[in-house]
């Protein structure tokens, strides 16, 4: 009986810890999106923000589930609270997929975000998916398959900046005691 209670306590504690970590990651994505951004003068008025780098960091360090949730919740909340409500469904879908893809690849083959080459590949593979989802979302919103093309350069820049920031940050964080033991 004691063993069953101990397992239940451990499982509850792990779930609570996962919820706390995921919430913190989503909050970091939100803050990086909301407060560290630059409005683009072209396309559909998108932003270059550090939320993408935080999404990459979350997925590389904590895996696909937390990466997907952090990206979807953090950037989705930004759209909802930041005056971009019409974009929220597209953002939630694209960023959930992006976080899941990055985490899945970075955590493949027994790695846990500890292979720099795999991490770069993960981010690069996720970029066309994110861009395609936004393209389709905009095509539906604006009833045009041409207009969304203007946003593609900004999406590419946002992802490349995110990658250039995330990879060095992950390399440094992977050397900390917290990530060395996992």
């Amino acid at each position: 009986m004691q063993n069953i209670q101990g397992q239940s306590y451990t499982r509850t504690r792990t779930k609570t810890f996962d919820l706390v970590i995921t919430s913190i990651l989503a909050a970091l994505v939100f803050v990086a999106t909301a407060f560290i951004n630059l409005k683009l003068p072209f396309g559909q008025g998108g932003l270059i923000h550090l939320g993408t780098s935080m999404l990459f960091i979350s997925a590389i360090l904590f895996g696909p589930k937390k990466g997907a949730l952090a990206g979807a919740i953090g950037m989705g909340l930004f759209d909802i609270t930041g005056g971009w409500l019409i974009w929220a469904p597209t953002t939630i879908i694209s960023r959930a997929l992006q976080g899941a893809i990055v985490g899945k690849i970075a955590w493949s083959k027994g790695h846990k975000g500890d292979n720099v080459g795999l991490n770069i590949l993960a981010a690069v593979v996720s970029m066309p998916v994110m861009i395609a989802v936004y393209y389709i979302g905009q095509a539906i919103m604006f009833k045009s398959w041409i207009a969304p093309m203007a946003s593609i350069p900004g999406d590419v820049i946002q992802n490349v900046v995110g990658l250039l920031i995330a990879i060095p940050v992950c390399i440094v964080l992977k050397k900390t005691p917290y990530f060395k033991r996992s």
Side-chain angles (χ1 to χ4, degrees):
M1 190 68 147
Q2 182 73 350
N3 192 15
I4 293 172
Q5 288 176 332
Q7 287 176 346
S8 177
Y9 172 74
T10 303
R11 195 173 319 125
T12 302
R13 189 169 173 210
T14 301
K15 286 182 178 181
T16 302
F17 183 73
D18 282 347
L19 178 63
V20 169
I21 291 292
T22 304
S23 301
I24 291 168
L25 294 172
L28 289 170
V29 169
F30 173 81
V31 168
T33 305
F35 299 111
I36 310 169
N37 65 55
L38 172 68
K39 190 166 176 22
L40 292 173
F42 56 87
Q44 302 299 328
L47 298 170
I48 300 291
H49 56 74
L50 296 187
T52 304
S53 59
M54 216 35 245
L55 179 151
F56 289 156
I57 292 166
S58 299
I60 290 168
L61 296 180
F62 293 97
K65 185 176 178 183
K66 288 180 182 67
L69 289 170
I73 294 167
M75 288 190 225
L77 276 174
F78 167 74
D79 282 355
I80 291 166
T81 62
W84 303 84
L85 185 60
I86 191 171
W87 294 91
T90 303
T91 295
I92 290 166
I93 293 166
S94 68
R95 297 315 185 139
L97 288 171
Q98 191 169 32
I101 290 166
V102 172
K104 192 75 167 164
I105 294 171
W107 281 55
S108 66
K109 299 179 183 176
H111 294 283
K112 292 186 176 180
D114 54 11
N115 182 304
V116 175
L118 212 50
N119 296 345
I120 293 169
L121 175 67
V124 170
V125 167
S126 77
M127 292 177 194
V129 175
M130 175 269 196
I131 292 167
V133 172
Y134 271 107
Y135 179 85
I136 292 166
Q138 288 179 59
I140 292 167
M141 280 188 271
F142 301 114
K143 296 177 177 62
S144 168
W145 292 99
I146 305 297
M149 287 183 190
S151 295
I152 293 173
D155 291 342
V156 171
I157 292 167
Q158 183 183 105
N159 278 281
V160 170
V161 168
L163 173 65
L164 292 174
I165 292 169
I167 296 302
V169 169
C170 287
I171 290 169
V172 170
L173 289 175
K174 277 294 189 178
K175 293 178 182 177
T176 65
Y178 179 83
F179 291 104
K180 278 189 172 186
R181 66 184 161 101
S182 47

